[in-house]
């Protein structure tokens, strides 16, 4: 078990370094009159984060023999969407946070207007990356990819989840609504990340579906772990403020179930996620390890 966790950390660190290099190469350089925007985009996207979504893209792509150079562009694209979501999530109008990934949030290091624009620019840049012929030679594959990314990021995905999350500060949500909230706010980008490999590799529907099912359960387990870290984690480890959900009176799995049952639920979901991977046999071992990693993580 310990060996497995060490392996997955090493594998994630290696992918993280590759994604860092890709983002550094692909993101606009801070030159010209708009340099401030590009500097802030780089500040938001470079030098931090677990790069979990890119790891899912690379691991799912490997299942279908997709060229690494293509998968890496999609990995960079989903990380841009994720980073945009974090920049906006931290704004005063939303969670009002000063620290992210161990450094001042974008609106603190720059200003609020720049943070809004950085989010807009990272989101649109993700689509520029995904739709580029360098990502896949087949236009049908690219359009399927772009549509899946749009669905995952938009109102029926992450943004819809963020809306529910804002409402969760004021309303008493039951466990069903909190589950829906988390599936949208976190699960949707995870689902895209796993599905991306199947899309790039033109996998059959049943395999694509198996990866989606894995991602949904794993994403939920991941978000429960995030909520647990908000209660039990250390700011030095997680690089962001702790205790903020409770301070905002936010409905989470932890507020509804309590710490112990929430942890148990996260473990059950990780097992359930792993069960969806049977069809891939041992080739899906990295994805199995990720599911265990997300519930045991300390950051
Ligand atoms: C944080 O995501 C936001 C949530 C969806 C809970 P991560 O924990 O993946 O953040 P980074 O990318 O490692 O900073
Ligand atoms: C953020 O969720 C999820 C997205 C940005 C989509 P949280 O608000 O729980 O994330 P943290 O705790 O600030 O990282
Ligand atoms: Mg939030
Ligand atoms: Mg937040
Ligand atoms: Mg949180």
């Amino acid at each position: 078990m310990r060996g497995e966790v060490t392996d997955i950390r090493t594998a994630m660190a290696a992918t993280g370094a590759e994604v860092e290099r890709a983002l550094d190469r692909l993101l606009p350089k801070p030159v010209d009159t708009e340099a401030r925007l590009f500097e802030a985009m780089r500040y938001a996207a470079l030098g931090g984060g677990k790069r979990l979504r890119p790891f899912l893209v690379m691991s799912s792509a490997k299942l279908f023999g997709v060229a690494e150079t293509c998968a890496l562009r999609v990995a960079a694209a989903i990380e841009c969407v994720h980073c945009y979501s974090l920049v906006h999530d931290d704004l005063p109008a939303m969670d009002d946070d000063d620290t992210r990934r161990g450094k001042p949030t974008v609106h603190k290091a720059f200003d609020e207007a720049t943070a809004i624009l950085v989010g807009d620019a990272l989101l649109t840049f993700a689509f520029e990356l995904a739709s580029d012929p360098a990502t896949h030679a087949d236009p049908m594959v690219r359009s399927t990819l772009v549509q899946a990314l749009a669905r995952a990021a938009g109102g029926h995905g992450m943004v819809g989840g963020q809306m529910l999350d804002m409402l969760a500060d004021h309303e008493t949500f039951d466990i069903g609504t909190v589950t829906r909230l988390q599936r949208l706010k976190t699960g949707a980008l995870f689902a895209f990340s796993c599905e991306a490999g199947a899309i790039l590799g033109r996998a059959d529907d049943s395999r694509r579906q198996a990866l989606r099912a894995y991602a949904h359960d794993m994403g939920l387990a991941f978000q429960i772990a995030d909520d647990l870290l908000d209660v039990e984690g250390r700011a030095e480890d997680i690089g962001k403020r702790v205790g903020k959900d409770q301070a905002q009176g936010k409905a989470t799995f932890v507020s509804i179930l309590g710490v112990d049952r929430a942890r148990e639920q996260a473990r059950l979901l990780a097992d359930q996620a792993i069960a969806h991977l049977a069809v891939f046999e041992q080739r899906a071992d990295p994805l199995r390890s990720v599911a265990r990693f997300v519930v045991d993580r300390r950051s």
Side-chain angles (χ1 to χ4, degrees), residues 2-298:
R2 179 139 304 281
E4 185 188 332
V5 171
T6 312
D7 288 351
I8 188 68
R9 283 179 202 279
T10 310
M12 280 176 63
T15 302
E18 254 188 290
V19 172
E20 179 79 17
R21 280 194 294 275
L23 284 169
D24 187 28
R25 193 176 66 244
L26 294 165
L27 281 166
K29 301 280 176 291
V31 290
D32 296 334
T33 42
E34 305 81 44
R36 181 179 172 82
L37 175 67
F38 302 139
E39 200 190 309
M41 282 169 82
R42 289 176 159 270
Y43 180 87
L46 297 175
K50 293 177 286 298
R51 311 297 199 194
L52 187 50
R53 294 151 195 83
F55 187 78
L56 295 172
V57 174
M58 300 310 286
S59 303
S60 69
K62 224 172 253 167
L63 291 175
F64 306 105
V66 174
E68 243 185 65
T69 47
C70 299
L72 200 52
R73 293 178 59 88
V74 179
I78 191 66
E79 187 66 14
C80 285
V81 174
H82 171 57
C83 292
Y84 127 70
S85 81
L86 297 179
V87 173
H88 282 192
D89 179 75
D90 290 333
L91 282 168
M94 296 190 75
D95 290 351
D96 193 11
D97 273 310
D98 297 351
T99 313
R100 168 70 64 186
R101 294 178 165 177
K103 59 186 191 184
T105 43
V106 176
H107 65 274
K108 285 284 163 190
F110 294 81
D111 56 70
E112 271 181 53
T114 306
I116 293 169
L117 295 171
V118 159
D120 296 342
L122 283 172
L123 174 62
T124 40
F125 184 60
F127 286 95
E128 195 179 326
L129 283 177
S131 59
D132 192 296
T135 299
H136 202 287
D138 182 347
M140 261 316 283
V141 168
R142 297 202 301 275
S143 101
T144 306
L145 198 63
V146 163
Q147 188 184 42
L149 183 56
R151 286 208 174 120
H156 295 296
M158 186 273 289
V159 170
Q162 286 287 70
M163 184 74 253
L164 283 178
D165 192 81
M166 291 295 103
L167 301 174
D169 289 354
H170 314 287
E171 293 182 24
T172 36
F173 280 167
D174 61 16
I175 192 88
T177 314
V178 172
T179 304
R180 179 173 173 77
L181 180 170
Q182 314 278 39
R183 277 198 195 283
L184 292 174
K185 123 174 164 177
T186 314
L189 294 194
F190 276 89
F192 170 80
S193 304
C194 292
E195 227 183 327
I199 296 172
L200 289 168
R202 297 190 182 94
D204 62 47
D205 276 355
S206 71
R207 272 156 219 266
R208 192 168 153 179
Q209 210 35 56
L211 284 168
R212 276 191 74 81
Y214 159 82
H216 267 116
D217 289 336
M218 199 272 283
L220 206 46
F222 172 90
Q223 184 59 50
I224 295 175
D226 183 78
D227 297 343
L228 281 164
L229 286 170
D230 191 78
V231 174
E232 303 182 315
R234 297 175 347 139
E236 313 84 278
D237 295 334
I238 64 175
K240 56 189 184 187
R241 190 156 57 96
V242 293
K244 54 201 170 128
D245 294 337
Q246 205 189 2
Q248 287 171 330
K250 196 180 283 297
T252 67
F253 268 82
V254 180
S255 74
I256 295 177
L257 298 177
V259 164
D260 292 340
R261 282 182 60 210
R263 183 171 299 110
E264 198 182 300
Q265 188 65 28
R267 295 237 158 87
L268 280 173
L269 282 160
D271 290 342
Q272 208 170 290
I274 289 169
H276 293 298
L277 297 173
V279 60
F280 302 109
E281 299 172 346
Q282 81 279 9
R283 287 177 303 123
D285 278 351
L287 293 176
R288 292 186 182 91
S289 301
V290 168
R292 295 200 186 88
F293 161 81
V294 297
V295 295
D296 291 331
R297 67 201 173 99
R298 293 266 166 271

